[in-house]
Amino acid sequence: MSTTPAIDSFQTGFALRPDLLVEAADPAGVRAAVRDAAARGLSVAVHATGHGLPGPVEGGVLISTRRMDGVEIDPERRTARIGAGTTWEAVVAAAAPHGLAPLNGSSPGVGAVSYTLGGGLGILAREFGYAADHVRSLDVVTADGVLRHVTPDEEPDLFWGLRGGGHRLGVVTGLEIGLVAVDRLFGGALAFDGDAAPEVLLRYLEWTRTVPDTCTSSPSAMRYPDLPQVPEALRGRYVVSVRVAYTGTAAEGEALVAPLRAIGPAFSDSLREMPYTESHTIHSDPPFPHAYYGEGLMLGGLDAGTAARVLELTGPGAPMMTVVQLNHLGGALAVPPAHDSAVPHRDAGFLLRLLSPLDGTDVAAVRALYARVAEETAPYTLGRALNFSFGGGDRTDGFHGAGTRERLAGLVSRYDPASLFGGAYGISRDAR
């Protein structure tokens, strides 16, 4: 246990100043921290890697789970047992020798447990659904300091709420998740000059109407900063990229992406067959800590005109650098799981993600820009994505529909009547 409030976090844009930092090594340490916080009347927050930190932490107890990072693979049952501090990189590496893969996201350094509690939108999502749909069991310390083993048969209400409801119901110390039989894929990215962004988005939207559920993809547009850590060819350049992950054969993959290549000359083309252990190269998310603010809007659909206006608002003429990403949803994401969960907006066709670096940028100005984008997409917007509200912990509207919100509130009243785990259903702190 440590009282030093110096906390390493991937998200550096928000200060973490708890009254007490607890570096838990096991569930017993978490239980002791929760009970001590309750006795002192202090709030409790949880921190794994800090990729999706919802905002600053001022006072209370912050439980760091990064030391609880074990992975156990059961190849016969196709499952993985993962500790609360485990990153997806570790799970992918442990599963690969068995020809298996988890439903991880694009960034290997993200905490697997927090990502899953928020739903978990992965690089194979259209084929296999949300990561939360593949949870077999959870171990969670609730506000009374009790360690509960949660399954569809044991604590079924918690099993529903923890999958898609985030951290608001307790501190999850471990998960058992199902794995999928994937050891390679066809994937990568096509990068075009940003001047072609509206045309790329138009052609991309047409292409999504033809692809099978075994293809998960996302275009992204951004003006790269002129910094030494950015590849020289990209520094200061506005670029639109289309990222693809497909589990069919390489030959089928080449045929699948032919319409994308036909858009025009790409200055970078990394599409290829690869072992699943290289899947993180599809998105190549930045591996270094930085400060950022973000939003995720779940859209029922999207037309090319609206997409072009979003690009105009967020492109090189925007008041600050903004990364725009559009995740193609549907497929298995729209299919209800065997055991119902709190994961919302399954009828969404796309997820529009916005992310802006905060170094030297006014948060109020970022919010104002995002509000303009939200006005453009309002006819399509179903709600907001819990996992992608980076720095938006003060804005909790839209995460869940009214019925789910009421049911989650009932669970909070039952398991945390004193609001030890403050906030609206505890925004997940690891997302990508």
Side-chain angles (χ1 to χ4, degrees):
M1 184 176 292
S2 169
T3 58
T4 304
I7 303 144
D8 292 331
S9 183
F10 188 85
Q11 161 69 281
T12 62
F14 300 94
L16 303 178
R17 301 189 186 94
D19 295 321
L20 183 67
L21 168 65
V22 177
E23 296 176 331
D26 53 34
V30 174
R31 290 183 65 198
V34 169
R35 289 179 173 180
D36 183 64
R40 299 187 189 201
L42 298 174
S43 63
V44 175
V46 186
H47 184 277
T49 68
H51 276 70
L53 196 71
V57 173
E58 298 287 350
V61 176
L62 181 62
I63 300 176
S64 170
T65 62
R66 69 180 60 197
R67 294 173 61 189
M68 301 168 61
D69 59 355
V71 184
E72 298 177 9
I73 305 295
D74 185 332
E76 297 299 323
R77 297 177 59 235
R78 293 186 179 179
T79 61
R81 178 74 192 171
I82 56 178
T86 307
T87 63
W88 278 127
E89 181 177 29
V91 185
V92 169
H98 307 286
L100 301 171
L103 295 180
N104 56 286
S106 61
S107 177
V110 161
V113 169
S114 292
Y115 160 101
T116 302
L117 297 182
L121 181 66
I123 59 174
L124 301 180
R126 278 177 41 82
E127 182 171 1
F128 297 107
Y130 286 100
D133 297 342
H134 295 257
V135 172
R136 304 287 184 85
S137 67
L138 311 93
D139 292 318
V140 59
V141 176
T142 45
D144 54 6
V146 174
L147 177 63
R148 302 172 188 269
H149 185 64
V150 177
T151 71
D153 300 316
E154 302 174 65
E155 306 276 7
D157 288 340
L158 278 177
F159 189 73
W160 173 85
L162 287 168
R163 296 174 304 125
H167 282 284
R168 185 61 183 86
L169 296 169
V171 183
V172 174
T173 62
L175 296 177
E176 183 181 54
I177 58 172
L179 303 174
V180 295
V182 174
D183 61 359
R184 40 72 57 203
L185 52 76
F186 178 87
L190 286 170
F192 302 89
D193 189 270
D195 289 343
E199 175 68 12
V200 173
L201 263 291
L202 170 63
R203 301 281 290 276
Y204 172 79
L205 290 171
E206 294 173 345
W207 179 75
T208 59
R209 292 194 284 270
T210 69
V211 300
D213 293 350
T214 47
C215 176
T216 303
S217 62
S218 62
S220 175
M222 66 177 292
R223 180 186 59 193
Y224 282 86
D226 189 3
L227 297 173
Q229 55 263 53
V230 176
E232 188 171 352
L234 297 176
R235 292 177 192 170
R237 187 172 187 176
Y238 184 52
V239 175
V240 57
S241 302
V242 180
R243 289 80 61 92
V244 175
Y246 172 62
T247 56
T249 67
E252 293 168 337
E254 291 289 350
L256 181 71
V257 301
L260 297 177
R261 287 194 169 123
I263 292 173
F267 70 81
S268 175
D269 183 344
S270 64
L271 289 164
R272 69 196 190 281
E273 186 169 40
M274 66 179 74
Y276 194 79
T277 51
E278 295 180 10
S279 61
H280 64 279
T281 65
I282 295 173
H283 290 250
S284 294
D285 289 329
F288 49 86
H290 54 289
Y292 48 93
Y293 192 90
E295 177 65 290
L297 301 175
M298 302 294 281
L299 309 180
L302 186 65
D303 67 86
T306 300
R309 290 192 293 274
V310 170
L311 289 175
E312 185 177 356
L313 285 170
T314 58
M320 74 286 298
M321 173 186 166
T322 300
V323 182
V324 177
Q325 178 169 314
L326 187 68
N327 290 78
H328 183 207
L329 306 180
L333 294 165
V335 178
H339 301 285
D340 192 20
S341 74
V343 175
H345 310 310
R346 288 184 181 270
D347 52 343
F350 295 96
L351 164 63
L352 177 63
R353 293 169 54 183
L354 306 170
L355 186 146
S356 299
L358 286 183
D359 293 329
T361 302
D362 179 23
V363 171
V366 176
R367 289 179 176 170
L369 174 63
Y370 289 7
R372 293 181 64 193
V373 172
E375 288 177 5
E376 290 291 345
T377 62
Y380 294 112
T381 301
L382 305 177
R384 298 172 57 227
L386 180 64
N387 266 6
F388 299 102
S389 181
F390 308 132
D394 57 335
R395 298 172 295 114
T396 60
D397 56 297
F399 287 143
H400 300 92
T404 299
R405 199 162 56 242
E406 281 185 33
R407 187 172 174 184
L408 284 169
L411 289 177
V412 169
S413 296
R414 176 178 169 188
Y415 287 98
D416 185 15
S419 291
L420 189 69
F421 304 108
Y425 317 130
I427 295 173
S428 197
R429 284 164 167 74
D430 294 280
R432 282 188 287 235

